[in-house]
């Protein structure tokens, strides 16, 4: 796994995946306060929690060069959401691993942005960071996120798992796991 002494940024046809900026905090907090965007997470985030998450993403990108990037529309410059790579801290049954994830403002759903950004992030994961495998996981009820995993070529593990950070009697406990290996 390679790290870089500068923030890697990625341009796709329509998106810029880049280091976080102060102007992202307000639209990110709005997205994290939206009950539809957060319906498969334990709860919507307060502004403070959202800012903490953005700052954490920013410092991990400073540390490693890569991470969960802020996503901006190349055309409108609007903040679209977050897409990228992360080393989970929870004691997951398949750890250590690098996961790919996405979270977009509702107004940006239905355009193929998550798929476009994730394909570009996977390219960086295998070509530049030199990872052997990337995983993704989500609540078994989060069919939109699972559809992104399928569209970018990931394959579903046979077994679901109980997320260690979610209470086992919570409806969000069971998660599906997807994997993709380096394409040779
Ligand atoms: C998960 C999430 C990113 C998926 O968003 P999405 O818009 O469904 O996914 P994409 O951006 O890849 O867009 C695909 C959709 O755009 C459509 N689309 C329109 N133009 C397109 C284009 N040029 N290229 C590709 N797809 C296009 C596709 O047909 C598809 O629509 P469908 O779902 O009706 O079939 C979004 O629902 C979200 O942010 N959810 C909340 C956060 C979350 O749960 N994150 C995952 C946690 S693990």
């Amino acid at each position: 796994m390679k790290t870089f002494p500068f923030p890697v940024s990625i341009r796709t046809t329509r998106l810029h995946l880049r280091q976080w900026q102060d102007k992202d905090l307000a639209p990110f907090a709005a997205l994290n306060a939206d009950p539809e965007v957060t319906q498969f997470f334990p709860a919507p985030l307060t502004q403070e929690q959202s800012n903490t998450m953005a700052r954490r993403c920013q410092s991990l990108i400073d540390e490693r060069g890569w991470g969960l990037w802020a996503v901006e529309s190349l055309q409108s410059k609007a903040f679209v959401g977050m897409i990228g790579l992360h080393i989970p801290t929870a004691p997951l049954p398949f750890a250590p691993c690098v996961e790919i994830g996405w979270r977009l403002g509702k107004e940006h759903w239905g355009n193929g942005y998550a798929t476009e950004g994730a394909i570009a992030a996977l390219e960086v994961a295998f070509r530049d960071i030199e990872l052997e495998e990337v995983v993704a996981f989500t609540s078994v009820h989060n069919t939109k996120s699972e559809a992104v995993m399928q569209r970018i070529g990931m394959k579903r593990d046979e077994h679901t798992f109980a997320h260690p950070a979610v209470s086992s009697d919570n409806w969000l406990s069971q998660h599906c796991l997807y994997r993709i290996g380096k394409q040779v």
Side-chain angles (χ1 to χ4, degrees), residues 14 36-38 40-41 102-105 108-115 137-138 142 144-145 148-149 151:
R14 297 176 294 172
E36 208 177 329
V37 173
T38 55
F40 302 109
F41 303 139
W102 33 75
R103 188 180 301 190
L104 307 186
H108 299 292
W109 295 6
N111 293 307
Y113 287 155
T115 301
F137 47 90
T138 191
N142 194 348
K144 276 186 173 296
S145 187
V148 179
M149 296 170 196
R151 280 195 291 270

Side-chain angles (χ1 to χ4, degrees), residues 3 7 13 41 46 50 57 62 119 122 125 145 148 151-153 170:
T3 58
T13 311
F41 303 139
T46 63
S50 175
C57 293
D62 277 338
I119 287 171
L122 275 185
S145 187
V148 179
R151 280 195 291 270
I152 64 176
N170 188 308

Side-chain angles (χ1 to χ4, degrees), residues 54-75:
R55 295 290 183 212
R56 179 86 186 122
C57 293
Q58 188 177 43
S59 71
L60 286 170
I61 292 173
D62 277 338
E63 213 175 282
R64 300 180 179 137
W66 52 269
L68 286 161
W69 289 280
V71 181
E72 186 175 280
S73 158
L74 282 177
Q75 196 184 15

